């Protein structure tokens, strides 16, 4: 699966929001690498291209980039449930790919946003694992960081086939769900523009009310709840970039899902190598660099409050 680069018009819009200055970017990369060298608990193995994508995702803010890098490495050590044995051929990942559609659309929206889709392929409750889904999502996000910089992200969550039991397994009262929140929040240089919920059931308000106390108002304002299917997205983005079943031309849901399954499988060696390299050495951590993540994890106090939104 190839992530298509921006068109000339899309690139113009992206550059208006995050101005391109190659010389400044080089200086910023040097500054970030010098900072990493002074953090004995953090690795310093990322190449310049990857660090540049972190800076871009942080809108060229060096300080924001430092915070994201600290979190990026820390979660991999503190929450091994989502980062240990990152083998795409592991049974739980293979089963997740067979039961859950999760993929990134090849084309950007006209505004330059990248669109991801999550939906059930198999509605069986025993096939629905928050841990496996979270591991897979994080693997896809890492794959994207190897390949592209994008302005912001649109998440489409299709709730067709979800039952009350599915929603119960997603409840923030579940320890694994709270850990998943911690693993994702502020650990990737990827901003969120919009979240669309499709096929929302009648009781969706009751479900979302459980999460609202944990969410910033600005994030809640990005939610769009639809009772219909993919056709609801046509007023928000060019329908041609959507899956065939939703009136688009990107390919079928199964083909898009399978393409991303193969993509992470192709990167197996990278995932296994990164699993060892992208970790903190907590024994070498200086007192002044104590991770907020560890305090949050102690009481599972994490929430979406720090989710990076624009």
């Amino acid at each position: 699966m190839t992530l298509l680069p921006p068109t000339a018009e899309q690139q113009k819009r992206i550059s208006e929001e995050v101005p391109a200055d190659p010389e400044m970017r080089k200086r910023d990369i040097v500054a970030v690498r010098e900072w990493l060298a002074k953090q004995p608990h953090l690795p310093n193995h990322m190449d310049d291209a990857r660090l540049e994508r972190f800076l871009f995702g942080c809108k060229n803010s060096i300080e924001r980039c430092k915070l994201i890098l600290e979190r990026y490495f820390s979660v991999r050590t503190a929450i091994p449930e989502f980062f240990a044995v990152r083998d795409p051929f592991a049974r739980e990942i293979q089963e997740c790919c067979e039961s859950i559609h999760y993929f990134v659309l090849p084309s950007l929206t006209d505004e330059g946003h990248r669109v991801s889709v999550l939906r059930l392929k198999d509605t069986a409750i025993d096939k629905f694992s928050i841990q496996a889904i979270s591991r897979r999502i994080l693997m896809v996000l890492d794959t994207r960081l190897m390949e592209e910089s994008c302005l912001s992200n649109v998440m489409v969550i299709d709730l067709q086939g979800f039952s009350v039991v599915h929603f119960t397994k997603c409840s923030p009262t579940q320890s694994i769900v709270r850990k998943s929140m911690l693993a994702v929040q502020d650990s990737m240089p990827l901003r969120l523009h919009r979240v669309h919920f499709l096929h929302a059931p009648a009781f969706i308000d009751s479900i979302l009310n459980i999460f609202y106390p944990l969410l910033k108002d600005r994030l809640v304002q990005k939610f769009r709840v639809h009772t219909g299917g993919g056709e609801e997205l046509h007023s928000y983005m060019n329908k041609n970039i959507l899956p065939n079943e939703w009136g688009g031309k990107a390919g079928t849901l199964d083909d898009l899902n399978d393409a991303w399954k193969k993509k992470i499988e192709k990167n197996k060696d990278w995932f296994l190598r990164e699993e060892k390299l992208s970790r903190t050495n907590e024994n070498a951590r200086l007192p002044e660099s104590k991770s907020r993540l560890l305090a949050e994890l102690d009481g599972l106090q994490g929430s979406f409050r720090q989710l990076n939104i624009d």
Side-chain angles (χ1 to χ4, degrees):
M1 171 59 65
T2 300
L3 293 173
L4 299 177
T7 63
E9 184 60 32
Q10 289 167 344
Q11 186 58 58
K12 179 181 177 181
R13 295 190 181 193
I14 292 171
S15 297
E16 287 174 354
E17 184 159 346
V18 185
D21 185 335
E23 291 304 313
M24 181 185 74
R25 187 61 56 78
K26 288 179 182 178
R27 293 193 297 270
D28 289 347
I29 289 173
V30 170
V32 171
R33 199 171 290 288
E34 289 177 347
W35 172 79
L36 283 169
K38 296 176 182 177
Q39 310 302 312
H41 64 293
L42 296 181
N44 193 3
H45 67 289
M46 286 188 180
D47 59 28
D48 286 355
R50 199 158 155 216
L51 286 178
E52 182 174 352
R53 294 185 192 106
F54 269 80
L55 280 162
F56 181 90
C58 296
K59 290 188 173 181
N60 298 330
S61 168
I62 293 177
E63 293 308 309
R64 178 66 180 167
C65 186
K66 291 176 183 178
L67 291 172
I68 297 296
L69 283 168
E70 167 69 45
R71 188 87 172 199
Y72 178 87
F73 293 126
S74 293
V75 296
R76 283 155 172 72
T77 305
I79 315 179
E81 292 94 327
F82 306 116
F83 300 101
V85 193
R86 299 181 84 192
D87 184 349
F89 290 96
R91 187 179 68 177
E92 68 166 3
I93 298 299
Q94 290 287 309
E95 290 179 348
C96 181
C97 290
E98 292 302 320
S99 60
I100 305 290
H101 279 145
Y102 178 68
F103 52 82
V104 185
L105 293 177
S107 298
L108 296 163
T109 68
D110 291 343
E111 296 78 18
H113 305 306
R114 186 65 75 185
V115 182
S116 299
V117 175
L118 176 69
R119 65 189 301 276
L120 295 181
K121 182 179 179 183
D122 187 333
T123 60
I125 297 298
D126 61 347
K127 304 284 187 176
F128 187 75
S129 166
I130 292 296
Q131 181 168 329
I133 294 170
S134 300
R135 287 165 69 98
R136 182 176 163 204
I137 288 174
L138 288 160
M139 291 170 78
V140 168
L141 293 178
D142 263 331
T143 300
R144 288 179 55 193
L145 282 177
M146 288 191 285
E147 296 186 7
E148 68 156 0
S149 301
C150 81
L151 182 60
S152 193
N153 295 269
V154 173
M155 186 71 197
V156 179
I157 302 175
D158 187 353
L159 300 175
Q160 187 172 38
F162 272 70
S163 67
V164 173
V165 180
H166 283 101
F167 285 114
T168 299
K169 293 185 75 170
C170 296
S171 170
T173 60
Q174 302 289 330
S175 173
I176 193 68
V177 174
R178 298 298 289 266
K179 286 186 177 182
S180 177
M181 292 179 179
L182 285 175
V184 174
Q185 67 176 16
D186 274 352
S187 68
M188 290 282 181
L190 300 168
R191 298 187 300 278
L192 184 63
H193 174 70
R194 187 83 70 217
V195 180
H196 291 279
F197 296 95
L198 305 180
H199 291 112
F203 54 84
I204 188 64
D205 286 341
S206 298
I207 299 298
L208 292 178
N209 282 339
I210 299 174
F211 286 89
Y212 283 153
L214 303 174
L215 306 177
K216 278 186 174 181
D217 289 341
R218 288 178 61 201
L219 176 58
V220 174
Q221 292 168 8
K222 294 178 183 294
F223 287 0
R224 298 293 181 271
V225 179
H226 312 283
T227 56
E231 70 280 357
E232 301 269 17
L233 301 172
H234 294 180
S235 59
Y236 293 89
M237 62 190 74
N238 186 333
K239 71 176 185 179
N240 288 334
I241 75 171
L242 296 171
N244 297 359
E245 292 91 336
W246 294 352
K249 300 178 180 179
T252 67
L253 293 166
D254 281 341
D255 287 346
L256 291 164
N257 186 67
D258 189 57
W260 272 92
K261 174 177 177 289
K262 289 182 170 63
K263 193 176 186 73
I264 63 173
E265 288 174 352
K266 183 179 179 181
N267 290 319
K268 172 184 175 179
D269 291 343
W270 183 90
F271 283 119
L272 295 180
R273 182 173 64 254
E274 278 290 306
E275 178 188 328
K276 299 176 181 178
L277 295 175
S278 290
R279 296 174 61 86
T280 58
N281 178 358
E282 293 301 324
N283 292 327
R285 184 186 290 273
L286 300 174
E288 59 267 26
S289 65
K290 184 177 180 180
S291 173
R292 186 182 63 187
L293 170 69
L294 300 179
E296 293 173 348
L297 189 59
D298 283 342
L300 290 180
Q301 301 277 321
S303 71
F304 280 122
R305 290 189 181 278
Q306 302 301 318
L307 187 61
N308 186 23
I309 57 178
D310 56 1

PDB file of all heavy atoms in Angstrom, residues 158-187:
ATOM      1  N   ASP A 158     -16.272   3.145  12.141  1.00  0.00           N
ATOM      2  CA  ASP A 158     -17.556   2.610  11.705  1.00  0.00           C
ATOM      3  C   ASP A 158     -18.070   1.663  12.790  1.00  0.00           C
ATOM      4  O   ASP A 158     -17.450   0.635  13.066  1.00  0.00           O
ATOM      5  CB  ASP A 158     -17.380   1.873  10.378  1.00  0.00           C
ATOM      6  CG  ASP A 158     -18.699   1.428   9.773  1.00  0.00           C
ATOM      7  OD1 ASP A 158     -19.745   1.565  10.440  1.00  0.00           O
ATOM      8  OD2 ASP A 158     -18.677   0.936   8.627  1.00  0.00           O
ATOM      9  N   LEU A 159     -19.183   2.011  13.388  1.00  0.00           N
ATOM     10  CA  LEU A 159     -19.718   1.245  14.511  1.00  0.00           C
ATOM     11  C   LEU A 159     -20.719   0.164  14.088  1.00  0.00           C
ATOM     12  O   LEU A 159     -21.361  -0.451  14.945  1.00  0.00           O
ATOM     13  CB  LEU A 159     -20.389   2.194  15.513  1.00  0.00           C
ATOM     14  CG  LEU A 159     -19.458   3.259  16.118  1.00  0.00           C
ATOM     15  CD1 LEU A 159     -20.251   4.214  16.996  1.00  0.00           C
ATOM     16  CD2 LEU A 159     -18.337   2.610  16.919  1.00  0.00           C
ATOM     17  N   GLN A 160     -20.821  -0.079  12.807  1.00  0.00           N
ATOM     18  CA  GLN A 160     -21.727  -1.130  12.350  1.00  0.00           C
ATOM     19  C   GLN A 160     -21.290  -2.484  12.922  1.00  0.00           C
ATOM     20  O   GLN A 160     -20.129  -2.873  12.807  1.00  0.00           O
ATOM     21  CB  GLN A 160     -21.744  -1.207  10.826  1.00  0.00           C
ATOM     22  CG  GLN A 160     -22.784  -2.171  10.274  1.00  0.00           C
ATOM     23  CD  GLN A 160     -22.897  -2.065   8.764  1.00  0.00           C
ATOM     24  OE1 GLN A 160     -21.899  -1.885   8.073  1.00  0.00           O
ATOM     25  NE2 GLN A 160     -24.110  -2.167   8.243  1.00  0.00           N
ATOM     26  N   GLY A 161     -22.218  -3.181  13.560  1.00  0.00           N
ATOM     27  CA  GLY A 161     -21.896  -4.482  14.137  1.00  0.00           C
ATOM     28  C   GLY A 161     -21.474  -4.421  15.590  1.00  0.00           C
ATOM     29  O   GLY A 161     -21.363  -5.463  16.248  1.00  0.00           O
ATOM     30  N   PHE A 162     -21.220  -3.214  16.112  1.00  0.00           N
ATOM     31  CA  PHE A 162     -20.846  -3.088  17.525  1.00  0.00           C
ATOM     32  C   PHE A 162     -22.064  -3.365  18.402  1.00  0.00           C
ATOM     33  O   PHE A 162     -23.153  -2.852  18.157  1.00  0.00           O
ATOM     34  CB  PHE A 162     -20.323  -1.686  17.832  1.00  0.00           C
ATOM     35  CG  PHE A 162     -18.848  -1.510  17.612  1.00  0.00           C
ATOM     36  CD1 PHE A 162     -18.312  -1.503  16.333  1.00  0.00           C
ATOM     37  CD2 PHE A 162     -17.989  -1.354  18.689  1.00  0.00           C
ATOM     38  CE1 PHE A 162     -16.960  -1.346  16.119  1.00  0.00           C
ATOM     39  CE2 PHE A 162     -16.627  -1.190  18.498  1.00  0.00           C
ATOM     40  CZ  PHE A 162     -16.107  -1.193  17.202  1.00  0.00           C
ATOM     41  N   SER A 163     -21.850  -4.151  19.428  1.00  0.00           N
ATOM     42  CA  SER A 163     -22.899  -4.442  20.402  1.00  0.00           C
ATOM     43  C   SER A 163     -22.560  -3.753  21.720  1.00  0.00           C
ATOM     44  O   SER A 163     -21.474  -3.170  21.877  1.00  0.00           O
ATOM     45  CB  SER A 163     -23.013  -5.945  20.635  1.00  0.00           C
ATOM     46  OG  SER A 163     -21.837  -6.432  21.276  1.00  0.00           O
ATOM     47  N   VAL A 164     -23.467  -3.844  22.661  1.00  0.00           N
ATOM     48  CA  VAL A 164     -23.207  -3.286  23.988  1.00  0.00           C
ATOM     49  C   VAL A 164     -21.955  -3.924  24.596  1.00  0.00           C
ATOM     50  O   VAL A 164     -21.163  -3.255  25.275  1.00  0.00           O
ATOM     51  CB  VAL A 164     -24.429  -3.495  24.915  1.00  0.00           C
ATOM     52  CG1 VAL A 164     -24.099  -3.068  26.343  1.00  0.00           C
ATOM     53  CG2 VAL A 164     -25.631  -2.707  24.401  1.00  0.00           C
ATOM     54  N   VAL A 165     -21.755  -5.207  24.329  1.00  0.00           N
ATOM     55  CA  VAL A 165     -20.585  -5.902  24.878  1.00  0.00           C
ATOM     56  C   VAL A 165     -19.299  -5.356  24.280  1.00  0.00           C
ATOM     57  O   VAL A 165     -18.293  -5.184  24.981  1.00  0.00           O
ATOM     58  CB  VAL A 165     -20.691  -7.419  24.646  1.00  0.00           C
ATOM     59  CG1 VAL A 165     -19.464  -8.127  25.213  1.00  0.00           C
ATOM     60  CG2 VAL A 165     -21.960  -7.984  25.276  1.00  0.00           C
ATOM     61  N   HIS A 166     -19.311  -5.048  22.983  1.00  0.00           N
ATOM     62  CA  HIS A 166     -18.133  -4.429  22.359  1.00  0.00           C
ATOM     63  C   HIS A 166     -17.804  -3.110  23.062  1.00  0.00           C
ATOM     64  O   HIS A 166     -16.646  -2.830  23.384  1.00  0.00           O
ATOM     65  CB  HIS A 166     -18.395  -4.153  20.870  1.00  0.00           C
ATOM     66  CG  HIS A 166     -18.324  -5.354  19.995  1.00  0.00           C
ATOM     67  ND1 HIS A 166     -19.437  -6.013  19.552  1.00  0.00           N
ATOM     68  CD2 HIS A 166     -17.261  -6.030  19.470  1.00  0.00           C
ATOM     69  CE1 HIS A 166     -19.078  -7.026  18.777  1.00  0.00           C
ATOM     70  NE2 HIS A 166     -17.761  -7.060  18.726  1.00  0.00           N
ATOM     71  N   PHE A 167     -18.832  -2.295  23.265  1.00  0.00           N
ATOM     72  CA  PHE A 167     -18.612  -1.000  23.902  1.00  0.00           C
ATOM     73  C   PHE A 167     -18.124  -1.174  25.344  1.00  0.00           C
ATOM     74  O   PHE A 167     -17.307  -0.382  25.827  1.00  0.00           O
ATOM     75  CB  PHE A 167     -19.893  -0.174  23.878  1.00  0.00           C
ATOM     76  CG  PHE A 167     -20.209   0.404  22.530  1.00  0.00           C
ATOM     77  CD1 PHE A 167     -21.323  -0.016  21.822  1.00  0.00           C
ATOM     78  CD2 PHE A 167     -19.384   1.363  21.973  1.00  0.00           C
ATOM     79  CE1 PHE A 167     -21.612   0.522  20.578  1.00  0.00           C
ATOM     80  CE2 PHE A 167     -19.666   1.901  20.720  1.00  0.00           C
ATOM     81  CZ  PHE A 167     -20.781   1.472  20.023  1.00  0.00           C
ATOM     82  N   THR A 168     -18.605  -2.204  26.018  1.00  0.00           N
ATOM     83  CA  THR A 168     -18.158  -2.466  27.386  1.00  0.00           C
ATOM     84  C   THR A 168     -16.659  -2.757  27.410  1.00  0.00           C
ATOM     85  O   THR A 168     -15.935  -2.307  28.312  1.00  0.00           O
ATOM     86  CB  THR A 168     -18.936  -3.646  27.991  1.00  0.00           C
ATOM     87  OG1 THR A 168     -20.329  -3.328  28.026  1.00  0.00           O
ATOM     88  CG2 THR A 168     -18.459  -3.937  29.408  1.00  0.00           C
ATOM     89  N   LYS A 169     -16.187  -3.488  26.403  1.00  0.00           N
ATOM     90  CA  LYS A 169     -14.757  -3.812  26.336  1.00  0.00           C
ATOM     91  C   LYS A 169     -13.918  -2.572  26.023  1.00  0.00           C
ATOM     92  O   LYS A 169     -12.704  -2.572  26.249  1.00  0.00           O
ATOM     93  CB  LYS A 169     -14.504  -4.898  25.288  1.00  0.00           C
ATOM     94  CG  LYS A 169     -15.110  -6.248  25.652  1.00  0.00           C
ATOM     95  CD  LYS A 169     -14.755  -7.342  24.661  1.00  0.00           C
ATOM     96  CE  LYS A 169     -13.337  -7.822  24.821  1.00  0.00           C
ATOM     97  NZ  LYS A 169     -13.046  -9.034  24.027  1.00  0.00           N
ATOM     98  N   CYS A 170     -14.573  -1.522  25.495  1.00  0.00           N
ATOM     99  CA  CYS A 170     -13.869  -0.271  25.189  1.00  0.00           C
ATOM    100  C   CYS A 170     -13.952   0.738  26.323  1.00  0.00           C
ATOM    101  O   CYS A 170     -13.386   1.835  26.226  1.00  0.00           O
ATOM    102  CB  CYS A 170     -14.471   0.372  23.940  1.00  0.00           C
ATOM    103  SG  CYS A 170     -14.301  -0.562  22.431  1.00  0.00           S
ATOM    104  N   SER A 171     -14.642   0.410  27.381  1.00  0.00           N
ATOM    105  CA  SER A 171     -14.885   1.376  28.458  1.00  0.00           C
ATOM    106  C   SER A 171     -13.585   1.796  29.139  1.00  0.00           C
ATOM    107  O   SER A 171     -12.710   0.957  29.406  1.00  0.00           O
ATOM    108  CB  SER A 171     -15.824   0.762  29.500  1.00  0.00           C
ATOM    109  OG  SER A 171     -15.891   1.594  30.646  1.00  0.00           O
ATOM    110  N   PRO A 172     -13.429   3.080  29.442  1.00  0.00           N
ATOM    111  CA  PRO A 172     -12.227   3.546  30.140  1.00  0.00           C
ATOM    112  C   PRO A 172     -12.117   3.019  31.571  1.00  0.00           C
ATOM    113  O   PRO A 172     -11.108   3.244  32.227  1.00  0.00           O
ATOM    114  CB  PRO A 172     -12.373   5.069  30.115  1.00  0.00           C
ATOM    115  CG  PRO A 172     -13.829   5.318  29.945  1.00  0.00           C
ATOM    116  CD  PRO A 172     -14.338   4.185  29.106  1.00  0.00           C
ATOM    117  N   THR A 173     -13.154   2.332  32.039  1.00  0.00           N
ATOM    118  CA  THR A 173     -13.041   1.688  33.350  1.00  0.00           C
ATOM    119  C   THR A 173     -12.175   0.428  33.265  1.00  0.00           C
ATOM    120  O   THR A 173     -11.746  -0.094  34.298  1.00  0.00           O
ATOM    121  CB  THR A 173     -14.437   1.306  33.888  1.00  0.00           C
ATOM    122  OG1 THR A 173     -15.071   0.406  32.973  1.00  0.00           O
ATOM    123  CG2 THR A 173     -15.307   2.539  34.075  1.00  0.00           C
ATOM    124  N   GLN A 174     -11.928  -0.058  32.044  1.00  0.00           N
ATOM    125  CA  GLN A 174     -11.079  -1.228  31.851  1.00  0.00           C
ATOM    126  C   GLN A 174      -9.608  -0.801  31.894  1.00  0.00           C
ATOM    127  O   GLN A 174      -9.199   0.147  31.213  1.00  0.00           O
ATOM    128  CB  GLN A 174     -11.381  -1.892  30.492  1.00  0.00           C
ATOM    129  CG  GLN A 174     -12.817  -2.338  30.304  1.00  0.00           C
ATOM    130  CD  GLN A 174     -13.158  -3.542  31.167  1.00  0.00           C
ATOM    131  OE1 GLN A 174     -12.298  -4.364  31.469  1.00  0.00           O
ATOM    132  NE2 GLN A 174     -14.414  -3.635  31.577  1.00  0.00           N
ATOM    133  N   SER A 175      -8.808  -1.514  32.663  1.00  0.00           N
ATOM    134  CA  SER A 175      -7.391  -1.165  32.809  1.00  0.00           C
ATOM    135  C   SER A 175      -6.674  -1.135  31.466  1.00  0.00           C
ATOM    136  O   SER A 175      -5.895  -0.218  31.182  1.00  0.00           O
ATOM    137  CB  SER A 175      -6.705  -2.172  33.743  1.00  0.00           C
ATOM    138  OG  SER A 175      -5.309  -1.954  33.774  1.00  0.00           O
ATOM    139  N   ILE A 176      -6.935  -2.112  30.600  1.00  0.00           N
ATOM    140  CA  ILE A 176      -6.228  -2.178  29.327  1.00  0.00           C
ATOM    141  C   ILE A 176      -6.591  -1.003  28.435  1.00  0.00           C
ATOM    142  O   ILE A 176      -5.771  -0.518  27.652  1.00  0.00           O
ATOM    143  CB  ILE A 176      -6.526  -3.528  28.608  1.00  0.00           C
ATOM    144  CG1 ILE A 176      -5.555  -3.742  27.446  1.00  0.00           C
ATOM    145  CG2 ILE A 176      -7.968  -3.583  28.124  1.00  0.00           C
ATOM    146  CD1 ILE A 176      -4.141  -3.967  27.864  1.00  0.00           C
ATOM    147  N   VAL A 177      -7.821  -0.500  28.575  1.00  0.00           N
ATOM    148  CA  VAL A 177      -8.240   0.655  27.781  1.00  0.00           C
ATOM    149  C   VAL A 177      -7.512   1.901  28.256  1.00  0.00           C
ATOM    150  O   VAL A 177      -7.023   2.708  27.458  1.00  0.00           O
ATOM    151  CB  VAL A 177      -9.768   0.854  27.865  1.00  0.00           C
ATOM    152  CG1 VAL A 177     -10.189   2.138  27.149  1.00  0.00           C
ATOM    153  CG2 VAL A 177     -10.482  -0.351  27.260  1.00  0.00           C
ATOM    154  N   ARG A 178      -7.414   2.078  29.576  1.00  0.00           N
ATOM    155  CA  ARG A 178      -6.691   3.241  30.107  1.00  0.00           C
ATOM    156  C   ARG A 178      -5.213   3.192  29.710  1.00  0.00           C
ATOM    157  O   ARG A 178      -4.616   4.209  29.385  1.00  0.00           O
ATOM    158  CB  ARG A 178      -6.835   3.300  31.632  1.00  0.00           C
ATOM    159  CG  ARG A 178      -8.272   3.471  32.111  1.00  0.00           C
ATOM    160  CD  ARG A 178      -8.884   4.779  31.614  1.00  0.00           C
ATOM    161  NE  ARG A 178      -8.313   5.941  32.262  1.00  0.00           N
ATOM    162  CZ  ARG A 178      -8.849   6.516  33.336  1.00  0.00           C
ATOM    163  NH1 ARG A 178      -9.954   6.042  33.865  1.00  0.00           N
ATOM    164  NH2 ARG A 178      -8.287   7.577  33.868  1.00  0.00           N
ATOM    165  N   LYS A 179      -4.637   1.988  29.731  1.00  0.00           N
ATOM    166  CA  LYS A 179      -3.236   1.865  29.299  1.00  0.00           C
ATOM    167  C   LYS A 179      -3.089   2.180  27.812  1.00  0.00           C
ATOM    168  O   LYS A 179      -2.097   2.783  27.385  1.00  0.00           O
ATOM    169  CB  LYS A 179      -2.718   0.455  29.598  1.00  0.00           C
ATOM    170  CG  LYS A 179      -2.441   0.201  31.063  1.00  0.00           C
ATOM    171  CD  LYS A 179      -1.788  -1.163  31.265  1.00  0.00           C
ATOM    172  CE  LYS A 179      -1.432  -1.386  32.729  1.00  0.00           C
ATOM    173  NZ  LYS A 179      -0.751  -2.688  32.936  1.00  0.00           N
ATOM    174  N   SER A 180      -4.078   1.784  27.037  1.00  0.00           N
ATOM    175  CA  SER A 180      -4.051   2.099  25.615  1.00  0.00           C
ATOM    176  C   SER A 180      -4.085   3.602  25.395  1.00  0.00           C
ATOM    177  O   SER A 180      -3.378   4.144  24.528  1.00  0.00           O
ATOM    178  CB  SER A 180      -5.246   1.431  24.919  1.00  0.00           C
ATOM    179  OG  SER A 180      -5.290   1.780  23.557  1.00  0.00           O
ATOM    180  N   MET A 181      -4.911   4.305  26.187  1.00  0.00           N
ATOM    181  CA  MET A 181      -4.954   5.763  26.119  1.00  0.00           C
ATOM    182  C   MET A 181      -3.571   6.353  26.400  1.00  0.00           C
ATOM    183  O   MET A 181      -3.094   7.254  25.699  1.00  0.00           O
ATOM    184  CB  MET A 181      -5.953   6.310  27.130  1.00  0.00           C
ATOM    185  CG  MET A 181      -7.408   5.998  26.824  1.00  0.00           C
ATOM    186  SD  MET A 181      -8.472   6.688  28.133  1.00  0.00           S
ATOM    187  CE  MET A 181     -10.091   6.222  27.536  1.00  0.00           C
ATOM    188  N   LEU A 182      -2.943   5.842  27.446  1.00  0.00           N
ATOM    189  CA  LEU A 182      -1.617   6.332  27.811  1.00  0.00           C
ATOM    190  C   LEU A 182      -0.603   6.056  26.713  1.00  0.00           C
ATOM    191  O   LEU A 182       0.295   6.860  26.460  1.00  0.00           O
ATOM    192  CB  LEU A 182      -1.153   5.668  29.110  1.00  0.00           C
ATOM    193  CG  LEU A 182      -1.800   6.151  30.410  1.00  0.00           C
ATOM    194  CD1 LEU A 182      -1.316   5.309  31.583  1.00  0.00           C
ATOM    195  CD2 LEU A 182      -1.497   7.617  30.657  1.00  0.00           C
ATOM    196  N   ALA A 183      -0.733   4.901  26.062  1.00  0.00           N
ATOM    197  CA  ALA A 183       0.232   4.516  25.030  1.00  0.00           C
ATOM    198  C   ALA A 183       0.140   5.422  23.805  1.00  0.00           C
ATOM    199  O   ALA A 183       1.135   5.641  23.107  1.00  0.00           O
ATOM    200  CB  ALA A 183       0.001   3.066  24.618  1.00  0.00           C
ATOM    201  N   VAL A 184      -1.042   5.953  23.555  1.00  0.00           N
ATOM    202  CA  VAL A 184      -1.261   6.747  22.344  1.00  0.00           C
ATOM    203  C   VAL A 184      -1.097   8.241  22.582  1.00  0.00           C
ATOM    204  O   VAL A 184      -0.515   8.951  21.764  1.00  0.00           O
ATOM    205  CB  VAL A 184      -2.660   6.461  21.761  1.00  0.00           C
ATOM    206  CG1 VAL A 184      -2.962   7.393  20.590  1.00  0.00           C
ATOM    207  CG2 VAL A 184      -2.753   5.005  21.312  1.00  0.00           C
ATOM    208  N   GLN A 185      -1.589   8.730  23.727  1.00  0.00           N
ATOM    209  CA  GLN A 185      -1.634  10.177  23.918  1.00  0.00           C
ATOM    210  C   GLN A 185      -0.241  10.784  23.986  1.00  0.00           C
ATOM    211  O   GLN A 185       0.641  10.324  24.691  1.00  0.00           O
ATOM    212  CB  GLN A 185      -2.422  10.535  25.181  1.00  0.00           C
ATOM    213  CG  GLN A 185      -1.774  10.115  26.473  1.00  0.00           C
ATOM    214  CD  GLN A 185      -2.556  10.589  27.690  1.00  0.00           C
ATOM    215  OE1 GLN A 185      -3.717  10.966  27.565  1.00  0.00           O
ATOM    216  NE2 GLN A 185      -1.931  10.559  28.831  1.00  0.00           N
ATOM    217  N   ASP A 186      -0.051  11.801  23.190  1.00  0.00           N
ATOM    218  CA  ASP A 186       1.198  12.568  23.166  1.00  0.00           C
ATOM    219  C   ASP A 186       2.434  11.730  22.875  1.00  0.00           C
ATOM    220  O   ASP A 186       3.546  12.132  23.210  1.00  0.00           O
ATOM    221  CB  ASP A 186       1.413  13.303  24.502  1.00  0.00           C
ATOM    222  CG  ASP A 186       0.702  14.643  24.520  1.00  0.00           C
ATOM    223  OD1 ASP A 186       0.192  15.046  23.465  1.00  0.00           O
ATOM    224  OD2 ASP A 186       0.656  15.273  25.580  1.00  0.00           O
ATOM    225  N   SER A 187       2.277  10.561  22.265  1.00  0.00           N
ATOM    226  CA  SER A 187       3.451   9.728  21.987  1.00  0.00           C
ATOM    227  C   SER A 187       3.758   9.661  20.500  1.00  0.00           C
ATOM    228  O   SER A 187       4.695   8.986  20.094  1.00  0.00           O
ATOM    229  CB  SER A 187       3.246   8.304  22.524  1.00  0.00           C
ATOM    230  OG  SER A 187       2.237   7.628  21.797  1.00  0.00           O
TER     231      SER A 187
END
